[in-house]
Amino acid sequence: MQLSGQPVLILPEGTQRIVGRDAQRINITVAKAVANAVRSTLGPKGMDKMLVDDLGDIVVTNDGATILDEMNVEHPAAKMMVEVAKTQDKEVGDGTTTAVVVGGELLAKAEELLDKKIHPTLIIKGYRMAAGKAISLLNELAMDIDVNDEETLRKLAITSMTGKGVEEAREKLADIVVKAVKQVAENDEKMIVDTDYIKIEKKQGGDLADTELVNGIIIDKERVHPGMPKVVENAKIALINAPIEVKETETDAEIRITSPDQLQAFLDQEEKMLRDMVEKVKASGANVVFCQKGIDDLAQHFLAKEGILAVRRVKKSDMEKLAKATGATIVTSIKDLSDKDLGFAGKVEEKKIAGENMIFVENCKEPKAVTILVRGGTEHVVDEAERALNDAIGVVASTLKDGKIVAGGGAIEVALAMKLRDYAKTVGGREQLAIEAFASALEIIPTTLAESAGMDPIDTLVELRAKQEKEKNPYLGIDVFNAKISNMKDASVLEPMSVKKQAISSASEAAEMILRIDDIIAASKKSSESKGMPGGEGMGEFE
Ligand SMILES: Nc1ncnc2c1ncn2[C@@H]1O[C@H](COP(=O)(O)OP(=O)(O)O)[C@@H](O)[C@H]1O
Ligand SMILES: [Mg+2]
């Protein structure tokens, strides 16, 4: 900007600014790079990534959301892609790689259109139309499932865990997941599943196949006093969110004690208060106490003498789960504790798992919170198993919510793409090109699956489209284990419709948002290194 020879500065010095096509190109390149980073992990034949953080801690995973999270991307466009994975993970628990890969491909196809001088707003409009259409087509193509059809629910869980390093135990894990989700589901006209109430407790050691479902909650703590019982049958459980201690004086009050009698009286008084608290607990009928706060040594001794099993400093989230599982109410004052507040468990037991004591609150009656105790040879195995379980839990929970599923292995994407192309023709104009681009972007899923199975991606896609068309069979997809096209429904490769729906909507929203940007204004960083500068350093790690 030159005004009579004087440059006019409207932004502070050091600000970096990139406008127009350059801005678009950079953002698209970055987003594609992010998608590329996770693409090779897609599907059962996908590879794993080893991520090493700055402290040298290692994570080996196949999970899109985890990879992107650990990568710590800096570029704003990259962060938008990471958001796609996070939303997907939060909303439906699975399909994170799919969402990011489709998002990247939508931008790759948009770039081709931009090169043909199609204006971004037209591309955005076409993508909008295509996404809306794709979602209504999904509803038409989806199959209904009965919430009591556990066999199918297990198949969905297995599909989500295939290729996740839990291979040998996936049947058993699928069974556990279905039982767990059904246990915590509340049927209130519609099925409501709060997956927070499925606690995953990991303990390295043993074998994946030793993973078990506990009908109740496991607390990673031990009883406070060795004199307390290790096992309590027919447990009546008190949940107390108050210290079983004599309160320290809040202000710095000084108590002057001038004679031994006074000291004794003082100590007696303290003892009496603790004894009263324990009396109160006993009077309620409780034989197990979970305390969110501390328990005084003397109170521990009294509780032990009464044969009450007590645990202290239990996490708030665990207290809530205990309440859900046992039916107890959390009380905030011991004075108010009564038998009505108590919960029930068939058995509370301290068990030694891999050398550490844990409290098992099990055999609860119709618990609305359960625990999956994950076992496995190494830390990496249990961590990856936890991620696989989370995917499977998400999948079963979201299927219960809407009762709709689709065929995986790229089948649904190819079916959608074909129908979108038909739709594009009815729209015409330049939007048609954008809708067709959207359709092709979805086909990145079958293409990638084919590639991972060692098949020729282009030939396979062409053949798959032709077969679906000829046989009028939207269930045909890529059988990655036999490297051929087969019926995914018959092969039990099933996925929830909601996973695909969420992937399509968040991928297209992110792509649209990135396409709409034609100006990147980055404030100068105070720090010496200009990390995260658009188009600057920090992008190399994706290449
Ligand atoms: N046995 C199978 N045969 C073919 N494709 C499968 C099979 N199991 C899963 N898939 C496909 O793998 C893809 C999911 O891969 P995954 O690595 O879990 O990524 P995401 O993070 O997107 O869930 C889906 O398209 C799904 O249909
Ligand atoms: Mg998955």
Side-chain angles (χ1 to χ4, degrees):
M1 262 181 272
Q2 297 280 122
L3 256 182
S4 59
Q6 283 296 310
V8 180
L9 294 175
I10 58 165
L11 292 169
E13 209 177 330
T15 306
Q16 277 200 19
R17 186 160 182 201
I18 305 167
V19 292
R21 280 294 280 125
D22 286 343
Q24 267 156 358
R25 219 173 264 287
I26 284 167
N27 280 339
I28 291 174
T29 307
V30 168
K32 283 198 313 195
V34 171
N36 256 331
V38 292
R39 203 166 87 94
S40 70
T41 68
L42 188 82
K45 291 262 171 178
M47 305 302 285
D48 293 350
K49 301 249 171 215
M50 178 187 270
L51 302 147
V52 186
D53 71 10
D54 45 9
L55 296 173
D57 283 340
I58 297 172
V59 176
V60 177
T61 186
N62 179 289
D63 186 72
T66 309
I67 296 167
L68 294 175
D69 197 35
E70 297 276 335
M71 269 175 25
N72 265 326
V73 297
E74 285 278 0
H75 194 282
K79 285 190 171 154
M80 287 164 107
M81 296 298 280
V82 175
E83 251 353 272
V84 169
K86 283 197 179 145
T87 310
Q88 184 77 20
D89 199 36
K90 213 165 59 209
E91 291 291 323
V92 284
D94 192 19
T96 50
T97 313
T98 303
V100 174
V101 168
V102 169
E105 197 59 15
L106 282 171
L107 287 165
K109 297 285 174 206
E111 199 171 30
E112 291 171 15
L113 296 177
L114 289 171
D115 288 343
K116 289 187 192 148
K117 300 273 180 294
I118 296 183
H119 197 271
T121 52
L122 270 173
I123 304 175
I124 292 166
K125 189 172 166 216
Y127 276 10
R128 261 286 151 77
M129 293 166 79
K133 184 72 185 171
I135 284 169
S136 66
L137 285 170
L138 260 178
N139 275 307
E140 286 168 28
L141 287 163
M143 304 170 252
D144 290 319
I145 99 151
D146 183 345
V147 292
N148 295 315
D149 181 357
E150 298 198 359
E151 193 47 47
T152 307
L153 291 175
R154 266 195 292 276
K155 285 176 185 166
L156 287 152
I158 288 175
T159 302
S160 74
M161 290 190 285
T162 308
K164 300 280 180 212
V166 292
E167 216 74 328
E168 71 274 17
R170 62 185 179 160
E171 310 264 334
K172 179 166 186 197
L173 297 184
D175 198 41
I176 288 177
V177 166
V178 172
K179 284 207 180 99
V181 175
K182 291 208 84 173
Q183 186 60 52
V184 302
E186 314 227 20
N187 201 345
D188 192 26
E189 274 178 37
K190 276 180 84 179
M191 284 287 212
I192 303 168
V193 184
D194 187 344
T195 51
D196 284 350
Y197 288 118
I198 301 176
K199 185 178 182 195
I200 296 185
E201 193 65 59
K202 299 178 285 186
K203 265 284 168 288
Q204 182 185 333
D207 189 85
L208 258 183
D210 300 328
T211 298
E212 59 173 313
L213 176 65
V214 173
N215 245 341
I217 301 297
I218 301 177
I219 305 289
D220 196 358
K221 295 256 167 197
E222 47 189 15
R223 61 205 207 289
V224 284
H225 193 282
M228 292 177 172
K230 259 195 168 168
V231 189
V232 177
E233 307 269 358
N234 291 322
K236 288 186 173 161
I237 300 165
L239 301 180
I240 300 173
N241 179 16
I244 309 182
E245 287 167 342
V246 176
K247 262 214 195 99
E248 304 270 325
T249 44
E250 303 245 319
T251 46
D252 269 341
E254 219 173 292
I255 301 168
R256 275 183 202 281
I257 291 169
T258 46
S259 72
D261 283 357
Q262 263 180 331
L263 177 62
Q264 197 52 47
F266 184 73
L267 292 176
D268 287 351
Q269 175 65 14
E270 207 174 87
E271 186 178 322
K272 183 173 179 303
M273 283 162 82
L274 290 169
R275 206 185 275 280
D276 285 351
M277 286 190 208
V278 172
E279 267 311 311
K280 192 73 207 169
V281 172
K282 186 178 169 234
S284 73
N287 50 16
V288 174
V289 172
F290 288 97
C291 183
Q292 202 174 323
K293 303 275 161 61
I295 303 179
D296 186 278
D297 288 353
L298 205 52
Q300 293 176 14
H301 166 77
F302 292 144
L303 285 164
K305 266 205 344 213
E306 298 296 351
I308 295 172
L309 191 165
V311 183
R312 69 174 163 178
R313 303 209 185 280
V314 178
K315 274 191 289 185
K316 181 165 182 272
S317 59
D318 281 344
M319 293 292 278
E320 282 159 7
K321 290 183 183 116
L322 281 168
K324 273 268 179 189
T326 65
T329 355
I330 302 172
V331 296
T332 43
S333 136
I334 298 173
K335 274 207 310 288
D336 300 336
L337 183 71
S338 81
D339 61 340
K340 284 195 235 22
D341 302 313
L342 302 184
F344 177 82
K347 186 156 120 187
V348 174
E349 182 177 7
E350 184 183 272
K351 294 187 197 176
K352 217 177 199 84
I353 303 289
E356 268 178 72
N357 286 326
M358 297 175 108
I359 305 280
F360 283 61
V361 179
E362 46 190 341
N363 304 343
C364 299
K365 272 194 221 142
E366 290 306 313
K368 287 294 164 209
V370 295
T371 308
I372 300 175
L373 177 61
V374 183
R375 307 302 312 277
T378 70
E379 194 190 333
H380 303 298
V381 171
V382 285
D383 285 352
E384 187 67 344
E386 179 187 26
R387 287 188 282 270
L389 283 167
N390 270 324
D391 284 6
I393 289 169
V395 159
V396 176
S398 46
T399 307
L400 281 188
K401 280 183 214 161
D402 67 5
K404 285 188 183 293
I405 59 172
V406 297
I412 186 69
E413 284 85 0
V414 170
L416 281 175
M418 276 196 317
K419 289 196 182 281
L420 279 177
R421 288 196 183 93
D422 292 343
Y423 166 67
K425 288 198 199 89
T426 70
V427 173
R430 298 202 150 191
E431 287 90 342
Q432 174 176 351
L433 296 177
I435 298 170
E436 283 167 359
F438 194 103
S440 307
L442 292 179
E443 287 173 336
I444 186 73
I445 301 301
T447 311
T448 307
L449 291 172
E451 231 172 288
S452 73
M455 300 158 87
D456 182 277
I458 297 172
D459 290 352
T460 311
L461 181 62
V462 172
E463 193 190 335
L464 179 52
R465 279 185 197 153
K467 273 201 168 158
Q468 274 209 9
E469 176 108 66
K470 187 161 151 266
E471 298 178 22
K472 298 259 167 295
N473 186 348
Y475 307 135
L476 293 176
I478 313 277
D479 175 352
V480 292
F481 295 108
N482 300 303
K484 64 182 178 56
I485 290 169
S486 40
N487 186 319
M488 290 292 118
K489 192 180 164 200
D490 295 346
S492 301
V493 179
L494 300 170
E495 294 188 86
M497 180 188 73
S498 51
V499 167
K500 299 294 176 188
K501 219 174 182 171
Q502 184 64 48
I504 289 174
S505 58
S506 35
S508 65
E509 274 168 26
E512 286 163 29
M513 194 181 273
I514 289 173
L515 282 173
R516 213 175 280 122
I517 299 167
D518 77 338
D519 197 350
I520 309 171
I521 305 164
S524 63
K525 288 234 165 140
K526 297 275 180 291
S527 68
S528 53
E529 10 161 29
S530 63
K531 277 202 280 175
M533 271 301 171
E537 299 296 310
M539 281 166 57
E541 58 205 70
F542 304 122
E543 256 115 52

